[in-house]
């Protein structure tokens, strides 16, 4: 039996159900249940909350979340091979685990969850960034979730938490830090996973803010940021020229020198520019 519950160790589960990780699904299984329980604890007190998990695989983090007291877990798994293993977990935690066999990019989780809602996941590498951007850019704010506790490649985690002037600073940092607090809470080496990826991983915890740090139209801010960092080596007047022929005047109106580059602008300055662009 494992150290966190009465279910078999994950390596045995994988062998019993012949769950070889598939590269096409971005799968890397984390088999140390002490680590999965530690990741679950980074999400905070879940005893009065529902948790959305994407890509549970054989259920390591799922078991961690349930063992740490999550009120209820909704797990969305695309790989049908994992369903029997997840069914065993559901049986061990009656009424607390619901599993949906489907694509996380297509399933509406809100039909299955009761607030407050937290999201915790060892995200499949091939959809992790897309899911994060969706969760950070809803039309209305605050979002349906209170916090995100997500595992990424270390490089992606550093892009989410990066500060102006750093090489990692860009679109992800601005979208994450505009309406949430983001910090790296754990680092994991490749050998913690099966199969071992070529890069290190890290867990990022994001807590949603009641309102954005600075006012701006979400769609305009995203457009400005995307355009600016698409040509990050160019001066802003050149990088943003396609957005408006009088871009130099608009940059000046936002208090931004047109010869600066995107990586030098703070979140507050990007929001000021988005407001000017919206008002024109």
């Amino acid at each position: 039996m494992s150290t966190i519950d009465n279910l078999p160790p994950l390596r045995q589960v994988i062998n019993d159900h012949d769950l070889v990780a598939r590269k096409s699904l971005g799968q890397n299984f984390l088999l140390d249940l002490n680590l999965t329980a530690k990741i679950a604890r980074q999400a905070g007190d879940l005893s009065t909350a529902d948790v959305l998990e994407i890509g549970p695989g054989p259920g390591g983090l799922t078991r961690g979340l349930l063992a740490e007291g999550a009120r209820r877990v909704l797990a969305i798994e695309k790989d049908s091979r994992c369903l029997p293993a997840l069914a065993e977990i559901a049986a061990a935690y009656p009424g607390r685990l619901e599993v949906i066999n489907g694509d996380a990019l297509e399933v509406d989780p809100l039909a299955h969850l009761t607030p407050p809602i937290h999201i915790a996941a060892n995200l499949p590498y091939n959809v992790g960034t897309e899911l994060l951007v969706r969760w950070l850019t809803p039309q209305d704010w605050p979002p349906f979730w209170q916090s995100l506790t997500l595992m990424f490649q270390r490089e992606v985690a550093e892009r989410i938490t990066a500060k102006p002037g750093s090489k990692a600073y860009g679109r992800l940092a601005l979208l994450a830090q505009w309406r949430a607090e983001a910090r790296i809470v754990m680092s994991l080496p490749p050998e913690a996973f099966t199969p071992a990826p070529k890069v290190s991983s890290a867990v990022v915890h994001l807590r949603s803010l009641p309102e954005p740090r600075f006012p701006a139209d979400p769609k305009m801010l995203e457009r400005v940021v995307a355009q600016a960092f698409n040509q990050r080596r160019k001066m802003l007047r050149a990088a943003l020229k396609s957005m408006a022929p009088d871009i130099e005047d608009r940059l000046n109106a936002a208090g931004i020198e047109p010869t600066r580059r995107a990586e030098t602008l703070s979140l507050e300055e990007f929001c000021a520019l988005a407001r000017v662009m919206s008002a024109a």
Side-chain angles (χ1 to χ4, degrees), residues 151-254:
M151 189 184 303
F152 294 99
Q153 294 180 19
R154 178 80 195 187
E155 177 188 352
V156 177
E158 290 174 348
R159 285 164 53 200
I160 294 168
T161 57
K163 300 302 178 187
S166 66
K167 184 180 289 188
Y169 184 65
R171 175 173 173 252
L172 272 187
L174 286 152
L175 293 180
Q177 297 171 40
W178 180 42
R179 300 196 282 194
E181 287 183 354
R183 57 193 178 94
I184 295 175
V185 294
M186 280 181 65
S187 296
L188 296 98
E191 53 268 25
F193 299 87
T194 300
K198 295 179 181 179
V199 296
S200 296
S201 300
V203 177
V204 181
H205 182 74
L206 299 101
R207 183 180 63 84
S208 65
L209 298 172
E211 58 186 34
R213 295 184 191 277
F214 308 103
D217 175 74
K219 290 185 177 179
M220 179 57 74
L221 179 62
E222 193 167 0
R223 279 186 62 203
V224 169
V225 168
Q227 184 68 23
F229 283 100
N230 189 45
Q231 304 182 67
R232 63 187 297 151
R233 293 184 180 180
K234 290 187 176 183
M235 295 179 186
L236 285 168
R237 66 186 178 195
L240 300 176
K241 189 175 182 180
S242 63
M243 291 191 70
D246 59 342
I247 191 61
E248 284 204 42
D249 292 338
R250 300 193 192 198
L251 285 163
N252 287 322

Side-chain angles (χ1 to χ4, degrees), residues 16 27 32 35 41 45 51 73 93 95 145 192 199 215 257 262:
D16 289 348
Q27 291 175 328
D32 187 334
L35 274 178
R41 288 194 290 274
D45 181 8
V51 181
V73 175
Y93 293 93
W145 51 269
V199 296
E257 173 59 48

Side-chain angles (χ1 to χ4, degrees), residues 2 4-5 7-22 25-33 36 53-66 73 75-93 97 99 122-124 192-195:
S2 78
I4 67 168
D5 55 30
L7 291 164
L10 276 173
R11 196 170 295 279
Q12 180 182 331
V13 172
I14 287 173
N15 289 336
D16 289 348
H17 296 283
D18 195 23
L19 294 177
V20 178
R22 288 182 175 170
L25 295 174
Q27 291 175 328
N28 294 92
F29 298 148
L30 186 59
L31 301 187
D32 187 334
L33 287 165
T36 62
E53 183 188 5
I54 306 299
L61 180 56
T62 315
R63 288 165 63 175
L65 291 165
L66 292 165
V73 175
I76 301 176
E77 177 55 63
K78 187 175 184 178
D79 187 355
S80 59
R81 299 177 306 147
C82 297
L83 299 182
L86 295 170
E88 292 173 1
I89 302 172
Y93 293 93
L97 173 62
V99 180
N122 173 10
L123 289 173
F193 299 87
T194 300

